[in-house]
Amino acid sequence: MPDIKPKRELNLVQTSSIIIGTVIGSGVFISLPIVAGIAGSPMMATIIWLIGGILWIPQILILAEMGTAYPDQGFGYYYLLKADLPFPAFLYTWTAFLTSDTPTLTIVGLSAASVLTFFFPSLEIPLYARLFAAGMIAALTWVNYRSVRGGGNFQVVLTITKLTPLIAVIIFGFFFLDSGNIYLTPAAGFFEKTSIFVVITAGISATSWSYAGFGNILYMAGEVKNPKRNLPIALIGSVLFVMAAYTLISFGTSAIVPFGEMVAAEGEFINPFSYISMFGSSAGALFAIAAFISMIGVLNASIMAQPRLEYAMARDGYFFSAFGKLHQKHLTPHYSILIQSGLAIVLFLLGDIENMLGYFTLSYVLQNILVYGAIFFLRKKEGYKPTFKAPYWGVMGALAVLIQLYLAYGTFLAYPVGGALAAAGLIVTGLPVYLYFYGRKKKE
């Protein structure tokens, strides 16, 4: 392995922009109709978005603690390895690589192509949409292949740009409070078919993809300046910001868009600007541009951060050696970036977005169970010295794990079973791969 190491080049603003840019995307406008259909009423949907954010608070506190204890590349893999759990560490990385991180690029790429059909109807043809999405992934891969700082600066610009239309939706929503679109009680007989517990559980699970990504910055913690200060500030500040943003976006969109039309848009983007008369015929163009910029922000942040996970594991000899190489000049894990982006393009052969969201969500919560469970082992280690300590860490750690089990159950309620089973199958394939690398490392 080369002796060169990544440089700490990301400041607090860039770090926060990567987190917010990864988490907040116009993909929320895909999830809004799904959550609304599950919730049965606009206010119930808004409450579900709020609860979904609150459930992230204990998780972020645990992540901030472990991040300051080990501010290096690798996130969950590194924490589990430090907890003397090499197989869970491998399984975490294998699962993330195949069933959540890489599919994120595919889902976002397809979504970005979808919103541009307003300008380019030919993108409604699946082949053209996938070719266009592949081109976007390739272009952003080149940006992040060449420079960490360049990718970080680009992310700051994208995050500021993407937040502008989202804030506009919130502001306009308050002008529609008398529209009659906001109400709490679902239609008569709604709760005769299902319980409120099942509704909230499935609804929160449906928000998981929109809330996912807070921990991505910890993949590249080794490139953050003053990480023991900047990581907790960026993580805690970001989760509070995103929770408030999603709750208000749900409320604002529900005030603007009639509930029946919101639910009918399931599987597609809901465009609140098209219901505001002052935008007229320009509403579609405005939303398409805003959504596209937002998707580019998510893609850029994901391509920047996610390949650092496989880089960290390969560096330790538990994964294919190519992933563990740094570019001599750019100091980026160039092979890891190229391979993950290439595999994301291959995944365009999979089915529709809704199935892929279920595929993503189950694997994501299983990864989180492994990561949050590591805190109970790390706290017993003498060398474990975080500069930020989660208050009531035992309670927070237990809550973080239980929340993931709760979301795993909700996944089977909210999404087609096929996608979840596909994820489970790919997770199982990690065992023989681990045994191969473990045996090879033992011989060395």
Side-chain angles (χ1 to χ4, degrees):
M1 289 292 172
D3 294 327
I4 55 174
K5 294 182 179 180
K7 290 177 63 178
R8 296 194 179 276
E9 299 188 78
L10 300 173
N11 58 34
L12 178 59
V13 173
Q14 292 168 325
T15 301
S16 300
S17 294
I18 291 169
I19 299 173
I20 294 172
T22 303
V23 178
I24 293 185
S26 58
V28 66
F29 292 105
I30 289 180
S31 297
L32 283 172
I34 297 173
V35 175
I38 294 169
S41 77
M43 278 305 298
M44 181 61 72
T46 298
I47 290 168
I48 285 172
W49 281 99
L50 176 62
I51 296 172
I54 291 172
L55 293 182
W56 265 97
I57 293 176
Q59 301 172 65
I60 290 298
L61 293 175
I62 295 298
L63 293 182
E65 175 175 320
M66 293 192 292
T68 61
Y70 304 114
D72 202 350
Q73 311 293 70
F75 185 36
Y77 159 76
Y78 196 51
Y79 308 153
L80 288 160
L81 195 66
K82 287 291 185 180
D84 294 329
L85 300 168
F87 176 61
F90 174 87
L91 189 62
Y92 168 81
T93 307
W94 179 258
T95 304
F97 179 59
L98 286 183
T99 66
S100 63
D101 286 357
T102 306
T104 295
L105 306 185
T106 308
I107 292 169
V108 176
L110 288 173
S111 299
S114 175
V115 300
L116 285 186
T117 56
F118 181 87
F119 300 108
F120 308 104
S122 60
L123 289 177
E124 293 181 0
I125 301 171
L127 176 61
Y128 293 164
R130 289 167 182 174
L131 288 174
F132 180 79
M136 286 190 299
I137 291 173
L140 292 173
T141 297
W142 180 81
V143 171
N144 288 285
Y145 176 101
R146 291 182 57 82
S147 173
V148 175
R149 184 180 299 173
N153 289 336
F154 187 42
Q155 189 61 42
V156 172
V157 174
L158 290 171
T159 300
I160 294 171
T161 306
K162 76 157 64 177
L163 290 178
T164 303
L166 301 181
I167 293 170
V169 170
I170 296 169
I171 293 172
F172 280 110
F174 285 99
F175 290 97
F176 281 78
L177 290 180
D178 58 353
S179 64
N181 292 332
I182 294 289
Y183 54 88
L184 176 62
T185 307
F190 182 80
F191 285 118
E192 292 178 6
K193 301 176 183 177
T194 186
S195 69
I196 191 169
F197 173 78
V198 170
V199 167
I200 292 176
T201 301
I204 290 173
S205 181
T207 70
S208 295
W209 185 60
S210 294
Y211 272 112
F214 287 106
N216 278 22
I217 188 62
L218 297 174
Y219 287 2
M220 55 190 312
E223 291 159 276
V224 174
K225 294 179 179 178
N226 194 7
K228 298 197 173 187
R229 169 187 175 272
N230 288 341
L231 285 176
I233 293 174
L235 284 165
I236 296 170
S238 294
V239 74
L240 295 176
F241 179 86
V242 172
M243 177 175 65
Y246 280 165
T247 302
L248 291 172
I249 288 168
S250 174
F251 183 82
T253 304
S254 297
I256 296 168
V257 182
F259 188 69
E261 295 184 38
M262 175 92 80
V263 174
E266 182 173 346
E268 300 176 357
F269 283 97
I270 187 72
N271 181 1
F273 294 107
S274 65
Y275 294 83
I276 302 173
S277 58
M278 67 175 289
F279 290 108
S281 60
S282 65
L286 175 64
F287 181 79
I289 293 169
F292 181 71
I293 293 172
S294 183
M295 293 299 178
I296 292 294
V298 175
L299 270 178
N300 185 70
S302 299
I303 291 171
M304 178 188 294
Q306 290 171 178
R308 269 68 178 177
L309 178 60
E310 293 76 37
Y311 160 75
M313 190 161 76
R315 182 186 57 185
D316 292 336
Y318 285 104
F319 207 49
F320 302 101
S321 59
F323 287 86
K325 297 182 184 297
L326 279 185
H327 194 283
Q328 291 284 338
K329 178 181 177 182
H330 306 311
L331 299 182
T332 58
H334 51 310
Y335 286 126
S336 188
I337 292 172
L338 292 172
I339 294 169
Q340 184 165 118
S341 294
L343 184 57
I345 292 171
V346 171
L347 288 180
F348 287 134
L349 299 175
L350 287 181
D352 58 66
I353 289 177
E354 188 177 352
N355 272 315
M356 290 192 71
L357 289 176
Y359 168 90
F360 171 92
T361 304
L362 179 65
S363 65
Y364 185 70
V365 298
L366 292 177
Q367 294 161 41
N368 287 342
I369 289 171
L370 293 174
V371 174
Y372 302 133
I375 190 72
F376 298 99
F377 296 87
L378 291 173
R379 278 277 184 160
K380 298 176 183 178
K381 299 287 182 182
E382 289 186 14
Y384 182 70
K385 296 179 180 179
T387 55
F388 172 87
K389 294 187 177 181
Y392 307 104
W393 73 270
V395 175
M396 293 298 164
L399 281 174
V401 172
L402 289 172
I403 287 166
Q404 301 311 308
L405 293 172
Y406 175 67
L407 291 176
Y409 167 67
T411 300
F412 289 100
L413 298 176
Y415 294 108
V417 174
L421 292 178
L426 280 174
I427 291 168
V428 171
T429 64
L431 178 59
V433 181
Y434 168 76
L435 292 175
Y436 167 75
F437 282 106
Y438 178 78
R440 193 175 75 171
K441 189 171 177 63
K442 195 171 182 181
K443 288 179 182 177
E444 291 175 357

